[in-house]
Amino acid sequence: DGGITQSPKYLFRKEGQNVTLSCEQNLNHDAMYWYRQDPGQGLRLIYYSQIVNDFQKGDIAEGYSVSREKKESFPLTVTSAQKNPTAFYLCASISTGELFFGEGSRLTVL
Amino acid sequence: AQSVTQLDSQVPVFEEAPVELRCNYSSSVSVYLFWYVQYPNQGLQLLLKYLSGSTLVKGINGFEAEFNKSQTSFHLRKPSVHISDTAEYFCAVRKAFGNEKLTFGTGTRLTIIP
């Protein structure tokens, strides 16, 4: 079945470590997105990519980095510069205005 | 820029009662509007969307929403809720043309009371 796969589902990290969250889609969508979700704050856009080898900062890009070398893949790296990285991260792709979401990755910094 | 306000952070409702989750938006241009549902520790699933045409939009699981341009609202309704409707609901908006970024509201947690 077509869809978006995020991994890992749960991840623990020590302070000062970088961590990369995987996002893969087989929907043949051009545009992909990364959102961060915190309780009571809804979803906030971190980065988005509308085409391969191109991406733009969203509203809260500081402390994060992305790459888009393949249409199917849009990994997100949470760097040690991110001050408060503990959150639920959601990857999505878009078609005719509708976002399709992965199941999310929950990152906890110890 | 667009913005979305979901006035109620939590809504408790008895089972089989009707429910309305409120959503108001702000935009200087034409918009598309969406409602998403999120079950615990899962991604978001589209309930319904308004792109154009009839202002009353029907979605999955018996939900519907009405686009009201004069009041800049897109409230979500269900005439009779079930325990399985317990979830968080997000309203979202994007410009009708151009950049496809969605802006989300802060969410409404719907709790169904048996």
Side-chain angles (χ1 to χ4, degrees):
Chain A
D1 284 358
I4 298 179
T5 302
Q6 288 186 242
S7 63
K9 191 168 178 65
Y10 298 95
L11 184 61
F12 297 88
R13 178 195 107 177
K14 292 182 180 178
E15 280 192 23
Q17 289 181 334
N18 292 356
V19 62
T20 297
L21 307 181
S22 170
C23 177
E24 303 281 329
Q25 56 107 351
N26 60 4
L27 299 168
N28 200 33
H29 292 166
D30 287 316
M32 297 184 74
Y33 298 75
W34 273 105
Y35 287 90
R36 170 181 170 138
Q37 185 177 19
D38 297 281
Q41 295 194 48
L43 278 72
R44 294 182 289 168
L45 183 62
I46 306 172
Y47 267 98
Y48 64 103
S49 168
Q50 296 193 324
I51 198 167
V52 174
N53 292 323
D54 186 53
F55 48 83
Q56 287 81 41
K57 292 181 179 180
D59 302 317
I60 56 164
E62 186 176 351
Y64 300 98
S65 66
V66 293
S67 63
R68 188 81 187 280
E69 298 176 1
K70 299 186 301 181
K71 188 175 187 178
E72 301 79 16
S73 180
F74 191 41
L76 173 74
T77 296
V78 184
T79 76
S80 56
Q82 168 51 233
K83 295 287 186 283
N84 185 20
T86 294
F88 190 51
Y89 291 88
L90 287 160
C91 179
S93 65
I94 199 164
S95 175
T96 59
E98 177 184 345
L99 278 174
F100 293 81
F101 284 88
E103 293 291 296
S105 293
R106 185 169 297 281
L107 172 63
T108 302
V109 174
L110 305 172
Chain B
Q2 294 71 243
S3 67
V4 176
T5 302
Q6 291 183 246
L7 294 167
D8 306 304
S9 60
Q10 296 188 57
V11 174
V13 180
F14 285 104
E15 194 172 13
E16 298 184 4
V19 68
E20 178 180 84
L21 305 184
R22 296 181 292 169
C23 172
N24 287 89
Y25 69 92
S26 173
S27 177
S28 57
V29 299
S30 296
V31 296
Y32 294 157
L33 291 154
F34 305 81
W35 274 101
Y36 284 85
V37 61
Q38 184 181 34
Y39 300 102
N41 293 310
Q42 293 187 25
L44 277 67
Q45 178 185 2
L46 182 69
L47 272 178
L48 49 78
K49 60 185 175 184
Y50 171 79
L51 303 182
S52 66
S54 173
T55 57
L56 183 63
V57 180
K58 294 191 183 297
I60 62 170
N61 301 341
F63 284 93
E64 63 180 32
E66 185 157 19
F67 171 57
N68 188 319
K69 189 174 181 179
S70 63
Q71 296 187 10
T72 61
S73 68
F74 190 54
H75 300 332
L76 181 70
R77 302 185 182 100
K78 186 169 182 178
S80 175
V81 294
H82 188 267
I83 288 286
S84 60
D85 293 322
T86 295
E88 189 141 23
Y89 293 79
F90 292 93
C91 183
V93 65
R94 57 155 282 202
K95 288 193 296 186
F97 306 99
N99 193 300
E100 296 188 10
K101 286 197 302 179
L102 262 71
T103 300
F104 285 84
T106 52
T108 297
R109 180 166 299 280
L110 176 63
T111 301
I112 308 304
I113 305 165

